[in-house]
Amino acid sequence: ELKVEQNPLFLSMQEGKNYTIYCNYSTTSDRLYWYRQDPGKSLESLFVLLSNGAVKQEGRLMASLDTKARLSTLHITAAVHDLSATYFCAVVFQYSGGGADGLTFGKGTHLIIQP
Amino acid sequence: GAVVSQHPSWVICKSGTSVKIECRSLDFQATTMFWYRQFPKQSLMLMATSNEGSKATYEQGVEKDKFLINHASLTLSTLTVTSAHPEDSSFYICSASRGLRQPQHFGDGTRLSIL
């Protein structure tokens, strides 16, 4: 069974600071996604990481993947209030039915950025 | 592109009622659609995966007779919660994928409240 563990689950930080969210997964996978969810809303796709050493950046967010360590990180640089949200990582597992691949989500990191 | 529409966005109904939720891919053909459930402040849990024209595959612990899924066309999947009870109250999110190794595109979610 694929397990995805995120930490921290809750993070309160000040604007301007840097921080990293970690995502560990238990079995081999070739794709990892990061999503953002605002309260009462659905998921917004942030990044997809496909290979070992992959790094992607968008604004103040940067995601990386180490498939050997089964670890992905989401780094926040000089945080601003607008980044307050819940962030999920999700890992692809192989669906035995032969269709598209199902996702296993981490528990999410609830991020609050205070002015 | 890759827009997924989910309807309705909010449902409040009495216990014992059956509720149908629609998930449509508006600008692409979705070989596979997924249904997730999210309880407050928790992660998304995959309920079932459906491929167009075939029976859905349900995750362990999800009652097939309770959550009826139909994927009759490449652009529409429906989830019917039969004889809903208060414990079925949750946020239901669908996603659609063009196929194997393709990303999932998420709908806006349906908030179901059973009184």
Side-chain angles (χ1 to χ4, degrees), chain B residues 8-84:
Chain B
S9 56
W10 196 300
V11 180
I12 302 174
C13 58
K14 293 181 179 180
S15 185
T17 306
S18 291
V19 178
K20 179 184 284 189
I21 303 170
E22 291 188 350
C23 181
R24 293 181 184 272
S25 56
L26 299 184
D27 52 2
F28 67 101
Q29 293 187 328
T31 303
T32 306
M33 288 188 172
F34 302 86
W35 289 95
Y36 295 86
R37 180 168 53 184
Q38 185 180 31
F39 291 110
K41 299 190 185 302
Q42 294 189 25
S43 188
L44 281 76
M45 298 298 294
L46 179 65
M47 298 175 65
T49 303
S50 71
N51 292 300
E52 185 265 339
S54 61
K55 291 183 179 180
T57 299
Y58 291 81
E59 295 300 304
Q60 193 172 6
V62 178
E63 299 176 56
K64 300 178 183 181
D65 296 331
K66 177 75 171 176
F67 300 99
L68 301 179
I69 292 173
N70 183 278
H71 191 165
S73 76
L74 285 171
T75 59
L76 173 64
S77 176
T78 60
L79 167 67
T80 302
V81 184
T82 62
S83 186

Side-chain angles (χ1 to χ4, degrees), chain B residues 91-106:
Chain B
F91 191 49
Y92 292 86
I93 305 175
C94 74
S95 70
S97 171
R98 289 182 172 88
L100 195 63
R101 309 186 78 79
Q102 298 297 311
Q104 294 181 31
H105 304 283
F106 288 86

Side-chain angles (χ1 to χ4, degrees), chain A residues 38-100:
Chain A
D38 291 300
K41 304 291 186 181
S42 190
L43 300 180
E44 174 189 350
S45 179
L46 296 175
F47 301 108
V48 54
L49 301 168
L50 302 176
S51 59
N52 188 43
V55 176
K56 290 194 174 179
Q57 183 165 4
E58 181 73 33
R60 299 174 188 274
L61 301 178
M62 183 174 71
S64 66
L65 178 63
D66 181 343
T67 57
K68 294 180 181 178
R70 295 177 187 159
L71 170 68
S72 180
T73 61
L74 180 66
H75 187 74
I76 303 156
T77 302
V80 293
H81 179 68
D82 287 350
L83 290 178
S84 298
T86 299
Y87 293 85
F88 291 96
C89 64
V91 179
V92 168
F93 63 89
Q94 294 301 315
Y95 167 54
S96 60

Side-chain angles (χ1 to χ4, degrees), chain A residues 1-7 9 22-27 29 31-34 70 72 88-93 103-108, chain B residues 43:
Chain A
E1 179 189 353
L2 177 61
K3 294 184 179 179
V4 181
E5 294 187 354
Q6 256 180 269
N7 69 84
L9 298 181
Y22 298 88
C23 175
N24 286 93
Y25 53 99
S26 59
T27 61
S29 176
R31 267 170 296 149
L32 186 143
Y33 295 86
W34 283 97
R70 295 177 187 159
S72 180
F88 291 96
C89 64
V91 179
V92 168
F93 63 89
L103 290 172
T104 299
F105 284 83
K107 290 185 182 298
Chain B
S43 188

